[in-house]
Amino acid sequence: MALGTVTAPYEPRFDTGRICLDLLATAHPGERLDSVAALRAWITGSGLVPQGTALAHADPSWPVAFRELRAQIGSLVRGRPAPGVPSYDLALARVNELARAAPPAPRAVPGEDGALVRGLDGPPGRAALLAVIARDAVDLLTDPAARASLRQCEGDNCPIVYVDTSRGRRRRWCSSEVCGNRERVARHRRRAALARA
């Protein structure tokens, strides 16, 4: 999402700083990966594949697999690392297993204007795309600096987790345009109510 743009409540969001966290955001405020078409749009919008990549081979098992990976990543990112706890160990094992698959093979191809653009060496498979996200989760979970920069949005009822790369590490919301704007409106309404009282 470009800075300064407003996102409709149910549009896919890509402002968490990591693709694995962007996948987590697809569960809020409601299920966004509820169809193959929605998943295809998310895959393309997230940058997992270049624009125009054919995803016609995606079938109804794809959203189920992406939601399952999302749940595993969520339990690892939102929970405290606790090796020995069965749910944590199972989630970690599943993410590691998915990360083992080969990601889509990139290649440089001439674009419409002749400049080289990124393409893929054939349509990407489900396992390859899940591997990209799982590898990103592994990178996040094993990088102490990135892990220390994880923040939970301070917006009311917002479960989104993001990487705070702001200057001074003072970012409060997953999105200034969404949760930040809601907070500013609520603060204004409280001040106006106090002034009237």
Side-chain angles (χ1 to χ4, degrees):
M1 178 170 83
L3 292 177
T5 61
V6 176
T7 304
Y10 288 95
E11 280 185 29
R13 293 179 48 192
F14 306 103
D15 52 6
T16 65
R18 299 297 288 248
I19 188 109
C20 63
L21 298 178
D22 287 339
L23 180 63
L24 282 181
T26 62
H28 177 73
E31 180 58 62
R32 295 179 185 194
L33 302 181
D34 56 357
S35 69
V36 175
L39 178 61
R40 284 184 192 133
W42 184 85
I43 289 169
T44 302
S46 70
L48 269 176
V49 299
Q51 290 289 332
T53 299
L55 293 170
H57 59 291
D59 62 44
S61 70
W62 284 43
V64 173
F66 277 78
R67 290 191 303 260
E68 189 257 337
L69 175 58
R70 179 182 68 197
Q72 305 305 335
I73 293 170
S75 65
L76 295 173
V77 169
R78 290 190 175 111
R80 286 191 118 77
V85 175
S87 61
Y88 181 88
D89 289 344
L90 288 172
L92 188 59
R94 184 65 177 139
V95 168
N96 285 332
E97 178 185 332
L98 290 170
R100 292 178 61 191
R107 63 185 182 130
V109 296
E112 291 180 16
D113 63 355
L116 292 178
V117 296
R118 182 175 150 245
L120 296 179
D121 194 30
R126 182 183 78 187
L129 295 174
L130 290 170
V132 173
I133 300 168
R135 288 175 181 208
D136 184 56
V138 169
D139 288 343
L140 175 65
L141 295 168
T142 59
D143 179 348
R147 191 127 172 115
S149 297
L150 286 178
R151 303 285 185 270
Q152 169 83 40
C153 180
E154 292 181 21
D156 286 341
N157 301 317
C158 184
I160 293 180
V161 176
Y162 60 89
V163 177
D164 184 1
T165 57
S166 67
R167 188 179 225 169
R169 305 289 187 254
R170 288 182 270 183
R171 183 174 163 190
R172 296 179 52 205
W173 304 293
C174 60
S175 168
S176 182
E177 292 82 20
V178 179
C179 289
N181 190 48
R182 285 186 195 130
E183 175 63 28
R184 288 186 289 275
V185 168
R187 195 173 26 215
H188 172 75
R189 287 181 180 158
R190 285 192 299 268
R191 280 194 307 260
L194 284 173
R196 284 192 302 267

